[in-house]
């Protein structure tokens, strides 16, 4: 072996923030190669994928619209990931949030009350928390793996939403399409920029990111999260309860995912559909890692992953590529990130063949 | 159809529904026994399904399709192995990436194959035995992959508990430090186990697209890769119990389909929740007995191994 990994004394701070950039660069290079292999001019294809969608003011607001749920969900996931609680069912928590919030909108349909929107958000948060509470309870009470439980619940939530919009919540005047009524104005988020879909939810998400940063960096809770994640033994000696951490992580991430679900249906979608998210809950996992589980990083990473959605849509129209190409790019970013992260904790040492024979 | 005829056909559909789970879970069991938790099963199954389907359609040879499905999913597993074993990345995160990547990749590759029909794998009747009433069709008249799935369970059980190499694999999974100190190649053993897991997931995928529903559809695994992961826990890492678990789950899947067919007044979506809810229930029932889990679970599962640390 000519290359060897040698442990660093302390993780490299510089590389912690540099590896995401490296991962993105490597993804772009690989993307160019894949496009070339598929018979597209690589430069043109990358331009279509990553520049064209945000070439206009409208395109940029669309980027923010897509980044909103990603950043919200990733913020919640980051708290869990920091303390090694693996909630990967955010997609389901988002869906149940949309079901709860959408239920409020449907049952109050026709009313112009200003309380409808806050009530929807509250319901969405409750729905998301409820869906997060199940894996938390089963984990703390029965030691059931939260990864598998939260993921199974995602399928259950998606099916529940589908059952509702195919059945009782179907718009009676909707020509039998599986869709709810179009929400009234009182159930829709105010638009921030006239003529775009940029809504109040993006602003709320931004405020929550700031609040998240404050909690993680400046409060005892944030400290506990970090200690439980980095040194579980030390944390238990210090009296920080692992079980409490599981509850906090799953309830907070469930709440934020549920809120993201309400923002989607009260924002860009405007009604309940059988599917309300193109996998934001899963992509947010990548956002959390790419953003180094840090609120500011998450903001940047959410914009980048949002671009992969927009790029996928543009490439679908312009180059007739399948939508799955978005998933390929997203998976690739995470692969490259995880692979290059080895450099944070280890340094590569070139070994001369002679030195190796002695070792 | 006579009652016995109905019974036989129900049993056959249960076996069919269980087989993809059986392949994937048996493969994952071997990987986990060596100490590696690969959450990318769903992604590997999808890549196997699309590869098996595409190669069979293009070449006309199902055998070639099945082999390529195992190889392609094995390639995915190799990628996982490289990132987690050589580059020492977190296994949970890498497995998730593998699934996200596999879902996307299979949809890109399969785009031009959506809606194309393919001949289902031929049934191979065992001469003589298949003629036995009831038992004959249930036991001796299946396609090659169904036979193979059961043989693989037996082979894995024999390998893990009756061979020296299997002992080494289990030792690596239970204490990589000790195994390394004795001189066993920890990383190489894990690579092989992960590759085997990938190939098996690929076979499970190929069974889905070539036999269970002979067609390709985006995301056609519908969470079976994740259910397979839960099955390994359910089986407390024992091959024979994986067999039992897979057939139980096959039964639940079919129960739900038949309930829909009979026209029970429940929305079809609610019935479709059944396998996922049962998975959760089963996980809870098994995991609550922590002593039992700790006794059987590989002690080093999910842990990074670096000789210098």
């Amino acid at each position: 072996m000519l290359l060897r990994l040698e442990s660093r004394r302390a993780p490299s701070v510089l590389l912690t923030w540099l590896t995401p950039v490296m991962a993105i660069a490597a993804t772009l290079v690989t993307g160019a190669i894949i496009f070339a292999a598929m018979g597209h001019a690589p430069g043109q294809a990358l331009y279509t994928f990553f520049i064209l969608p945000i070439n206009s003011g409208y395109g940029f607001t669309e980027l923010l619209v897509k980044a909103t749920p990603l950043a919200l969900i990733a913020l919640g996931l980051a708290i869990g990931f920091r303390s090694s609680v693996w909630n990967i069912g955010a997609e389901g928590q988002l869906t149940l949030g949309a079901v709860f919030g959408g239920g409020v909108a449907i049952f109050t349909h026709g009313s112009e009350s200003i309380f409808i929107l806050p009530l929807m958000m509250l319901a969405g948060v409750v729905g998301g928390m409820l869906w997060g509470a199940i894996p938390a309870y089963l984990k703390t009470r029965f030691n059931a793996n939260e990864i598998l439980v939260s993921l199974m619940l995602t399928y259950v939530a998606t099916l529940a939403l589908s059952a509702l919009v195919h059945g009782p919540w179907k718009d009676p005047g909707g020509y039998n399409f599986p869709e709810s009524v179009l929400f009234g104005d009182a159930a829709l988020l105010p638009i921030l920029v006239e003529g775009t879909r940029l809504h109040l939810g993006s602003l709320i998400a931004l405020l929550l990111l700031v609040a998240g940063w404050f909690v993680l960096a400046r409060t005892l809770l944030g400290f506990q999260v970090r200690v439980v994640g980095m040194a579980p033994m030390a944390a238990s000696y210090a009296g920080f309860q692992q079980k409490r951490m599981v509850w906090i992580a799953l309830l907070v991430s469930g709440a934020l995912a549920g809120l993201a679900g309400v923002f989607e249906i009260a924002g860009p979608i405007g009604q309940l559909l059988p599917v309300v998210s193109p996998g934001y809950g899963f992509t947010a996992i990548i956002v959390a890692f790419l953003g180094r589980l840090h609120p500011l990083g998450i903001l940047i990473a959410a914009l980048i992953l949002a671009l992969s959605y927009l790029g996928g849509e543009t490439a679908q129209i312009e180059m007739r590529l399948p939508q799955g190409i978005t998933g390929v790019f997203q998976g690739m970013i995470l692969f490259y990130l995880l692979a290059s992260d080895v450099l944070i904790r280890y340094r590569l040492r070139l070994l001369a063949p002679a030195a190796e024979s002695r070792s | 159809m006579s009652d016995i005829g109905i019974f036989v056909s129900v049993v056959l559909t249960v076996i069919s529904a269980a087989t993809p789970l059986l392949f994937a879970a048996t493969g994952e069991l071997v990987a986990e026994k060596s100490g590696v938790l690969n959450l990318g099963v769903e992604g590997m199954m999808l890549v196997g399904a699309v590869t098996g389907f595409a190669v069979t359609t293009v070449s006309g040879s199902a055998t070639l399709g099945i082999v390529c499905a195992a190889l392609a999913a094995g390639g995915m597993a190799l990628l996982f192995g490289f990132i987690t074993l050589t580059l020492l990345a977190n296994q949970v995160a890498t497995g998730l990436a593998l699934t996200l990547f596999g879902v996307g990749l299979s949809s890109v590759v399969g785009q031009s194959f959506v809606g194309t029909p393919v001949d289902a794998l031929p049934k191979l009747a065992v001469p003589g035995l298949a003629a036995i009433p009831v038992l004959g069709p249930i036991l001796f008249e299946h396609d090659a992959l169904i036979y193979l799935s059961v043989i693989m369970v037996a082979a894995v059980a024999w390998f893990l508990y009756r061979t020296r190499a299997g002992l080494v694999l289990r030792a690596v999974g239970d204490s990589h430090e000790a195994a390394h100190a004795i001189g066993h190649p920890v990383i190489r053993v894990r690579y092989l186990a992960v590759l085997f897991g990938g190939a098996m997931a690929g076979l499970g995928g190929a069974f889905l697209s070539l036999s269970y529903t002979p067609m390709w559809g985006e995301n056609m695994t519908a969470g079976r890769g994740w259910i397979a992961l839960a099955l390994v826990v359910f089986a407390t890492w024992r091959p024979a119990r994986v067999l039992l678990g897979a057939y139980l789950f096959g039964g639940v899947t079919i129960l739900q389909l038949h309930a829909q067919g009979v026209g029970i007044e429940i929305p079809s979506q609610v019935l479709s929740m059944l396998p996922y809810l049962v998975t959760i229930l089963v996980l809870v029932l098994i995991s609550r007995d922590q002593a039992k889990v700790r006794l059987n679970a590989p002690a080093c599962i999910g842990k990074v191994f670096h000789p210098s640390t």
Side-chain angles (χ1 to χ4, degrees):
Chain A
M1 199 196 284
L2 290 171
L3 275 174
R4 229 181 64 173
L5 293 172
E6 216 165 70
S7 302
R8 290 177 194 273
R9 277 205 202 92
S12 160
V13 177
L14 174 69
L15 279 165
T16 307
W17 291 97
L18 206 59
T19 49
V21 180
M22 289 161 59
I24 293 163
T27 305
L28 290 180
V29 172
T30 318
I33 295 169
I34 293 176
F35 283 134
M38 290 169 80
H40 299 280
Q44 180 67 33
L46 286 180
Y47 176 83
T48 309
F49 209 98
F50 293 107
I51 310 287
L52 193 60
I54 47 168
N55 219 354
S56 62
Y58 179 78
F60 189 72
T61 59
E62 278 298 290
L63 186 71
L64 298 179
V65 169
K66 293 237 177 341
T68 299
L70 292 176
L72 262 183
I73 302 169
L75 176 64
L77 294 180
I79 294 172
F81 292 171
R82 275 176 181 235
S83 50
S84 289
V85 181
W86 298 98
N87 173 16
I88 63 166
E91 184 79 0
Q93 291 141 22
L94 178 155
T95 304
L96 210 74
V99 166
F100 274 48
V104 170
I106 290 165
F107 288 121
T108 58
H109 193 67
S111 160
E112 295 297 322
S113 165
I114 55 159
F115 294 110
I116 292 178
L117 204 51
L119 201 61
M120 283 171 71
M121 290 189 211
L122 186 67
V125 167
V126 169
M129 281 174 98
L130 181 71
W131 230 228
I134 300 173
Y137 176 72
L138 298 181
K139 168 87 177 178
T140 50
R141 178 78 177 75
F142 299 111
N143 203 32
N145 182 312
E146 79 277 17
I147 298 176
L148 293 172
V149 173
S150 63
L151 195 97
M152 289 295 129
L153 285 174
T154 297
Y155 288 98
V156 176
T158 316
L159 287 164
L161 171 61
S162 168
L164 286 169
V165 293
H166 278 95
W169 288 3
K170 188 157 63 181
D171 179 8
Y175 305 101
N176 217 20
F177 279 111
E179 299 172 359
S180 78
V181 286
L182 286 168
F183 295 166
D185 282 342
L188 291 175
L189 287 160
I191 295 295
L192 295 182
V193 180
E194 200 61 42
T196 71
R197 305 199 299 170
L198 188 63
H199 54 77
L200 186 64
S202 305
L203 201 59
I204 298 176
L206 195 60
L207 293 175
L208 285 171
L209 279 175
V210 176
W213 169 80
F214 181 78
V215 170
L216 283 174
R218 291 280 178 272
T219 66
L220 178 64
L221 176 66
F223 178 66
Q224 291 185 345
V225 169
R226 270 176 291 152
V227 176
V228 170
M230 285 191 287
M233 293 295 263
S236 75
Y237 291 139
F240 306 161
Q241 281 185 6
Q242 183 90 40
K243 285 190 175 180
R244 203 171 132 242
M245 222 56 254
V246 172
W247 275 104
I248 291 173
L250 279 157
L251 288 182
V252 171
S253 52
L256 290 174
L259 189 61
V262 172
F263 286 173
E264 283 307 292
I265 56 163
I269 300 178
Q271 65 186 135
L272 276 182
L273 300 176
V275 175
V276 290
S277 154
Y280 288 138
F282 296 112
T283 306
I285 297 170
I286 305 176
V287 172
F289 280 116
L290 195 65
R292 303 268 77 132
L293 309 182
H294 184 286
L296 177 64
I298 285 173
L299 177 63
I300 299 167
L303 292 170
I304 292 166
L305 270 299
L307 183 56
S308 76
Y309 276 112
L310 287 183
E313 285 171 14
T314 316
Q316 214 179 347
I317 301 164
E318 301 275 326
M319 296 153 65
R320 268 177 269 130
L321 288 176
Q323 188 133 42
I325 198 86
T326 300
V328 172
F329 268 102
Q330 295 182 349
M332 234 159 35
I333 289 188
L334 188 50
F335 277 140
Y336 278 122
L337 180 74
L338 292 164
S340 50
D341 274 357
V342 69
L343 297 173
I344 296 173
R345 281 172 298 120
Y346 301 89
R347 61 165 61 90
L348 287 175
R349 186 54 50 93
L350 267 171
L351 287 185
E356 196 194 11
S357 65
R358 252 183 286 126
S359 68
Chain B
M1 214 191 293
S2 68
D3 283 352
I4 289 181
I6 292 173
F7 171 74
V8 169
S9 69
V10 168
V11 172
L12 288 181
T13 49
V14 169
I15 293 174
S16 211
T19 300
L21 297 172
L22 191 53
F23 271 119
T26 308
E28 176 68 13
L29 181 141
V30 172
E32 290 192 13
K33 267 289 178 192
S34 80
V36 183
L37 177 67
N38 184 354
L39 293 182
V41 183
E42 179 88 356
M44 297 189 297
M45 279 183 96
L46 277 166
V47 167
V50 77
T51 308
F53 188 86
V55 171
T56 303
T57 319
V58 172
S59 74
S61 159
T63 313
L64 190 64
I66 291 166
V67 171
C68 289
L71 288 177
M76 294 276 287
L78 187 65
L79 182 63
F80 174 87
F82 179 68
I83 296 176
T84 56
L85 299 173
T86 301
L87 298 179
L88 313 174
N90 178 303
Q91 293 176 6
V92 173
T94 311
L96 291 174
L98 196 67
T99 288
L100 295 172
F101 182 70
V103 171
L105 184 68
S106 60
S107 118
V108 171
V109 173
Q111 189 193 21
S112 53
F113 293 98
V114 174
T116 326
V118 71
D119 290 332
L121 294 176
K123 298 259 182 278
L124 307 173
V126 179
L129 294 175
I132 304 171
V134 186
L135 278 184
I138 288 178
L139 294 177
F140 302 111
E141 203 178 344
H142 293 295
D143 58 48
L145 281 178
I146 292 184
Y147 293 126
L148 181 65
S149 68
V150 180
I151 293 170
M152 288 312 283
V153 176
V156 163
W158 171 80
F159 170 79
L160 284 177
Y161 296 100
R162 292 279 181 273
T163 68
R164 195 181 141 68
L167 182 66
V168 171
L169 186 142
R170 285 186 291 135
V172 164
D174 273 328
S175 173
H176 46 216
E177 306 287 349
H180 175 69
I182 304 171
H184 293 307
V186 172
I187 299 297
R188 196 189 308 159
V189 168
R190 290 194 170 160
Y191 258 109
L192 292 173
V194 166
L195 279 176
F196 178 77
M200 290 286 279
L203 290 177
F207 180 82
L208 274 178
S209 65
L210 293 176
S211 173
Y212 188 63
T213 44
M215 52 155 220
W216 162 251
E218 244 178 66
N219 255 326
M220 70 182 301
T221 46
R224 285 185 179 82
W226 295 102
I227 294 180
L229 278 158
L231 270 179
V232 178
V233 180
F234 168 79
T236 55
W237 294 269
R238 292 287 188 151
R241 292 185 202 154
V242 166
L243 187 74
L244 177 74
Y247 282 93
L248 275 177
F249 268 85
V252 172
T253 315
I254 296 307
L255 187 75
Q256 156 235 320
L257 287 180
H258 280 271
Q260 290 183 21
V262 174
I264 293 177
E265 282 299 308
I266 303 176
S268 65
Q269 291 94 341
V270 174
L271 288 169
S272 302
M273 291 175 190
L274 213 56
Y276 309 112
L277 292 173
V278 170
T279 305
I280 295 175
L281 182 72
V282 154
L283 268 178
V284 168
L285 288 179
I286 296 296
S287 310
R288 62 188 302 189
D289 188 355
Q290 287 200 40
K292 198 168 156 195
V293 170
R294 216 169 290 153
L295 201 63
N296 290 290
C300 283
I301 193 156
K303 287 189 188 146
V304 167
F305 176 69
H306 184 241
S308 79
T309 50

